[in-house]
Amino acid sequence: MIWYPYEQMKNMRQPYKILDANGVYLYTADQKLIDSVSSWWCMIHGYKHPELTAAIKQQADNFCHVMLGGLTHEPVQRLSAKLQEFLPGDLDYCFFSDSGSVAVEVSLKMALQYNTNQGRKRPLVLALEHAYHGDTFKAMEVGDDEDYHFAFEQKSGVVHIPTQIPALEEAFAKYHDQLNCFIVEPLLQGAGGMLIYDLPFLQRARELCTQYDVLLIFDEVATGFGRTGNRFVADLVLPDILVLGKALTGGYIGHAATVANHKVFDAFYSDNDRHALMHGPTFMGNALACAAALKGIEIFEREDYMSKIRHIEEVSRRELLGFADPRIKEVRVLGGCACIEVFDGADLEGFQQFAYQRGVFCRPFLRYMYSMVPYIIKDEELVQIFDTMKAWFNR
Ligand SMILES: *Cc1c(COP(=O)(O)O)cnc(C)c1O
């Protein structure tokens, strides 16, 4: 029996069974559906992309996986070199893992140990209200081997602030000598409700983090690879650590990366073995995932995805902004993301089935109806998604 995510199994609707998928389309036995959410925001090139599929097959003919403990291989070397060139600034040190949540854990460990390696006690993490950084919980805490986890013994705490500069300044004034990092989903908070905020907040955060030697972490698991209309928000404001996942492999295989700058790496690079980063996911640097990521980045650059995303944003604005209904609180568009927020989540009940009948797969949550489309989508397909959303309110 499959235990499905985020569901009360007792009353969940039967999931739609997918028999085939190609481009932006999912196929069930009786319907052809545009995937308006890119399989949880990762499937940016669409399904069954011949080059991505071929890259994985080709690597599988060679080998599928070897561990990175004591071994290395060409796909992982090529991917880390590619990311070093592709990512802004001196974000040059790639630590790979198998999922976004784990990559976030790694970034938080880095930030804590960055301080302990320098003999500083800084137990607090600054984060945003409505933040979402993954679902992992307690694996290390229930472990009992001090050889692995000695660097993380101090209990840590989290301070949450809204995305407003006065709150940010106040938090730094109060806690600056206790903070090891400030972690944010930059510009767009996804699972928290597709909330959009402004760049000056991040610019001010960068200044304060530099002033007090607090590491700035951008969790770009969702926003990376163009979703906000920027390749990475890190192109605009440079973090100390960048976390990538979801679209990293074009969604073809789970993989993630925690990419650190020189300052962070240097705090671990020493004659003291206890200054090493004690982390090592079994499937880090998986060869199939690296092959998919390399091919995905090649396509992203070659096909000028950034102009595709700008066009998606234009069409989204044209179709959605100004659309009003007494049940709607706000309509938001940023890059390849569009969201209709309603006052009462009950007003979205039944929308998924309504959209299914109209050939669109969507997955509204709480008070949010949204799209995060594959970048290869055609205009008429995008318009079909927004027409479906508007039709729900115009019934
Ligand atoms: C999805 C997501 C994660 C978690 O990634 P998983 O691969 O599901 O573990 C972390 N941070 C953000 C911003 C995300 O959107």
Side-chain angles (χ1 to χ4, degrees):
M1 168 113 177
I2 299 168
W3 198 332
Y4 285 94
Y6 304 120
E7 295 285 355
Q8 172 45 261
M9 294 294 290
K10 189 170 179 185
N11 62 18
M12 81 176 273
R13 182 192 56 72
Q14 273 307 304
Y16 303 125
K17 186 166 179 180
I18 300 307
L19 305 178
D20 195 7
N22 196 351
V24 299
Y25 289 101
L26 299 168
Y27 295 86
T28 64
D30 64 355
Q31 194 50 298
K32 174 183 175 187
L33 300 162
I34 300 172
D35 181 0
S36 73
V37 298
S38 304
S39 267
W40 265 335
W41 324 344
C42 65
M43 196 58 59
I44 60 173
H45 309 280
Y47 298 94
K48 214 185 286 193
H49 192 294
E51 288 181 72
L52 283 165
T53 307
I56 293 168
K57 281 184 180 163
Q58 204 182 348
Q59 182 56 42
D61 280 341
N62 197 2
F63 59 87
C64 291
H65 180 69
V66 297
M67 69 177 183
L68 282 197
L71 303 175
T72 194
H73 53 84
E74 194 181 312
V76 74
Q77 289 175 331
R78 284 180 53 216
L79 180 58
S80 96
K82 181 67 209 176
L83 286 172
Q84 185 167 348
E85 170 218 311
F86 191 58
L87 298 174
D90 64 343
L91 292 164
D92 289 346
Y93 299 95
C94 279
F95 189 97
F96 293 103
S97 50
D98 31 28
S99 75
S101 303
V102 173
V104 166
E105 295 279 354
V106 170
S107 75
L108 296 170
K109 271 179 143 176
M110 279 181 182
L112 189 60
Q113 197 178 346
Y114 169 85
N115 284 282
T116 50
N117 281 358
Q118 300 180 72
R120 289 198 309 215
K121 241 189 145 132
R122 289 202 175 190
L124 292 186
V125 169
L126 188 62
L128 296 178
E129 290 174 1
H130 309 292
Y132 177 84
H133 296 290
D135 289 344
T136 56
F137 181 33
K138 266 184 174 297
M140 203 178 82
E141 189 177 328
V142 296
D144 182 28
D145 190 335
E146 114 83 60
D147 291 336
Y148 284 94
H149 300 147
F150 57 84
F152 311 101
E153 273 155 6
Q154 42 176 314
K155 290 282 163 279
S156 78
V158 183
V159 176
H160 286 103
I161 56 168
T163 51
Q164 284 147 17
I165 289 176
L168 176 68
E169 291 177 337
E170 196 182 313
F172 270 88
K174 213 160 152 187
Y175 301 114
H176 63 84
D177 58 349
Q178 296 177 66
L179 293 175
N180 60 62
C181 69
F182 181 28
I183 183 167
V184 297
E185 295 160 87
L187 293 188
L188 176 67
Q189 297 184 277
M194 306 300 160
L195 304 167
I196 299 166
Y197 62 93
D198 295 329
L199 194 63
F201 178 84
L202 293 177
Q203 290 164 329
R204 185 68 184 125
R206 177 67 276 177
E207 284 170 9
L208 289 165
C209 284
T210 303
Q211 183 179 345
Y212 294 110
D213 196 17
V214 173
L215 297 181
L216 182 60
I217 303 175
F218 279 6
D219 176 355
E220 296 221 48
V221 171
T223 56
F225 295 94
R227 188 54 70 185
T228 66
N230 308 285
R231 265 179 2 131
F232 301 94
V233 182
D235 288 332
L236 307 177
V237 171
L238 195 60
D240 299 295
I241 301 175
L242 176 63
V243 186
L244 300 175
K246 293 196 167 104
L248 173 65
T249 61
Y252 278 59
I253 305 181
H255 221 63
T258 309
V259 190
N261 69 5
H262 285 234
K263 181 172 93 165
V264 172
F265 183 80
D266 286 348
F268 290 76
Y269 191 81
S270 88
D271 295 323
N272 187 343
D273 287 345
R274 289 173 73 92
H275 287 177
L277 179 62
M278 296 302 281
H279 201 97
T282 306
F283 293 109
M284 71 183 293
N286 173 267
L288 298 178
C290 291
L294 280 162
K295 185 54 73 179
I297 295 171
E298 180 191 321
I299 297 167
F300 189 97
E301 291 188 296
R302 186 189 74 211
E303 304 288 321
D304 189 13
Y305 272 32
M306 292 315 302
S307 69
K308 290 187 202 294
I309 296 160
R310 273 191 291 279
H311 182 71
I312 289 169
E313 176 164 9
E314 273 167 33
V315 174
S316 308
R317 287 180 184 280
R318 185 190 77 207
E319 295 296 316
L320 273 194
L321 292 189
F323 181 68
D325 181 276
R327 289 163 289 186
I328 294 177
K329 184 174 174 201
E330 192 179 48
V331 178
R332 298 187 279 274
V333 173
L334 183 70
C337 174
C339 175
I340 295 178
E341 178 177 352
V342 296
F343 289 102
D344 181 356
D347 285 329
L348 300 181
E349 269 167 36
F351 173 63
Q352 188 173 52
Q353 295 87 320
F354 175 87
Y356 182 92
Q357 297 306 325
R358 284 160 182 76
V360 175
F361 174 68
C362 62
R363 197 168 186 281
F365 62 101
L366 304 173
R367 300 182 312 281
Y368 313 100
M369 167 192 282
Y370 75 96
S371 65
M372 287 258 207
V373 295
Y375 302 147
I376 55 148
I377 198 165
K378 296 196 185 79
D379 281 17
E380 58 269 27
E381 294 159 344
L382 197 51
V383 169
Q384 186 181 336
I385 294 171
F386 298 138
D387 280 351
T388 302
M389 291 180 171
K390 291 187 276 192
W392 171 254
F393 292 99
N394 292 334
R395 271 172 308 159

Short mmCIF file of all heavy atoms in Angstrom, two decimals, residues 342-350 366-367 392:
data_model
loop_
_atom_site.label_atom_id
_atom_site.label_comp_id
_atom_site.label_asym_id
_atom_site.label_seq_id
_atom_site.Cartn_x
_atom_site.Cartn_y
_atom_site.Cartn_z
N VAL A 342 -7.19 33.18 -2.63
CA VAL A 342 -8.57 33.48 -2.24
C VAL A 342 -8.62 33.74 -0.73
O VAL A 342 -7.68 33.42 0.00
CB VAL A 342 -9.53 32.32 -2.61
CG1 VAL A 342 -9.59 32.15 -4.12
CG2 VAL A 342 -9.12 31.02 -1.94
N PHE A 343 -9.71 34.33 -0.28
CA PHE A 343 -9.85 34.61 1.15
C PHE A 343 -10.08 33.31 1.93
O PHE A 343 -9.60 33.15 3.05
CB PHE A 343 -11.02 35.57 1.40
CG PHE A 343 -10.74 36.98 0.95
CD1 PHE A 343 -11.25 37.45 -0.24
CD2 PHE A 343 -9.95 37.82 1.72
CE1 PHE A 343 -10.99 38.75 -0.66
CE2 PHE A 343 -9.68 39.12 1.33
CZ PHE A 343 -10.20 39.58 0.12
N ASP A 344 -10.87 32.40 1.32
CA ASP A 344 -11.30 31.20 2.03
C ASP A 344 -10.97 29.96 1.18
O ASP A 344 -11.50 29.81 0.08
CB ASP A 344 -12.81 31.31 2.26
CG ASP A 344 -13.35 30.11 3.02
OD1 ASP A 344 -12.58 29.17 3.31
OD2 ASP A 344 -14.56 30.13 3.32
N GLY A 345 -10.10 29.11 1.72
CA GLY A 345 -9.68 27.91 0.99
C GLY A 345 -10.84 27.03 0.54
O GLY A 345 -10.73 26.29 -0.43
N ALA A 346 -11.97 27.13 1.24
CA ALA A 346 -13.14 26.31 0.86
C ALA A 346 -13.60 26.65 -0.56
O ALA A 346 -14.18 25.81 -1.24
CB ALA A 346 -14.28 26.54 1.85
N ASP A 347 -13.30 27.86 -1.02
CA ASP A 347 -13.69 28.27 -2.37
C ASP A 347 -12.87 27.57 -3.46
O ASP A 347 -13.16 27.74 -4.64
CB ASP A 347 -13.56 29.79 -2.53
CG ASP A 347 -14.70 30.52 -1.82
OD1 ASP A 347 -15.80 29.95 -1.73
OD2 ASP A 347 -14.45 31.64 -1.33
N LEU A 348 -11.85 26.83 -3.07
CA LEU A 348 -11.06 26.08 -4.07
C LEU A 348 -11.40 24.59 -4.06
O LEU A 348 -10.88 23.84 -4.88
CB LEU A 348 -9.56 26.26 -3.82
CG LEU A 348 -9.04 27.71 -3.88
CD1 LEU A 348 -7.53 27.75 -3.65
CD2 LEU A 348 -9.37 28.35 -5.23
N GLU A 349 -12.27 24.17 -3.16
CA GLU A 349 -12.63 22.76 -3.10
C GLU A 349 -13.35 22.34 -4.37
O GLU A 349 -14.34 22.96 -4.76
CB GLU A 349 -13.53 22.49 -1.88
CG GLU A 349 -12.72 22.10 -0.65
CD GLU A 349 -13.54 22.15 0.63
OE1 GLU A 349 -14.74 21.79 0.57
OE2 GLU A 349 -12.99 22.58 1.66
N GLY A 350 -12.84 21.30 -5.00
CA GLY A 350 -13.43 20.83 -6.25
C GLY A 350 -12.75 21.39 -7.49
O GLY A 350 -13.02 20.95 -8.60
N LEU A 366 -4.26 24.99 0.43
CA LEU A 366 -4.75 26.03 1.34
C LEU A 366 -5.58 27.06 0.57
O LEU A 366 -6.61 26.73 0.02
CB LEU A 366 -3.58 26.68 2.09
CG LEU A 366 -2.71 25.69 2.87
CD1 LEU A 366 -1.47 26.36 3.45
CD2 LEU A 366 -3.51 25.03 3.99
N ARG A 367 -5.09 28.31 0.49
CA ARG A 367 -5.87 29.36 -0.18
C ARG A 367 -5.28 29.72 -1.55
O ARG A 367 -5.54 30.79 -2.08
CB ARG A 367 -5.93 30.61 0.70
CG ARG A 367 -6.59 30.37 2.06
CD ARG A 367 -6.66 31.65 2.90
NE ARG A 367 -5.40 32.37 2.94
CZ ARG A 367 -4.37 32.02 3.73
NH1 ARG A 367 -4.45 30.98 4.52
NH2 ARG A 367 -3.26 32.72 3.71
N TRP A 392 -13.37 28.82 -13.29
CA TRP A 392 -13.79 28.34 -11.97
C TRP A 392 -14.55 29.43 -11.21
O TRP A 392 -15.55 29.17 -10.55
CB TRP A 392 -12.57 27.90 -11.18
CG TRP A 392 -12.80 27.58 -9.75
CD1 TRP A 392 -12.47 28.31 -8.65
CD2 TRP A 392 -13.47 26.40 -9.22
NE1 TRP A 392 -12.85 27.69 -7.49
CE2 TRP A 392 -13.47 26.52 -7.81
CE3 TRP A 392 -14.07 25.29 -9.82
CZ2 TRP A 392 -14.04 25.54 -6.99
CZ3 TRP A 392 -14.62 24.31 -9.01
CH2 TRP A 392 -14.62 24.45 -7.60
#
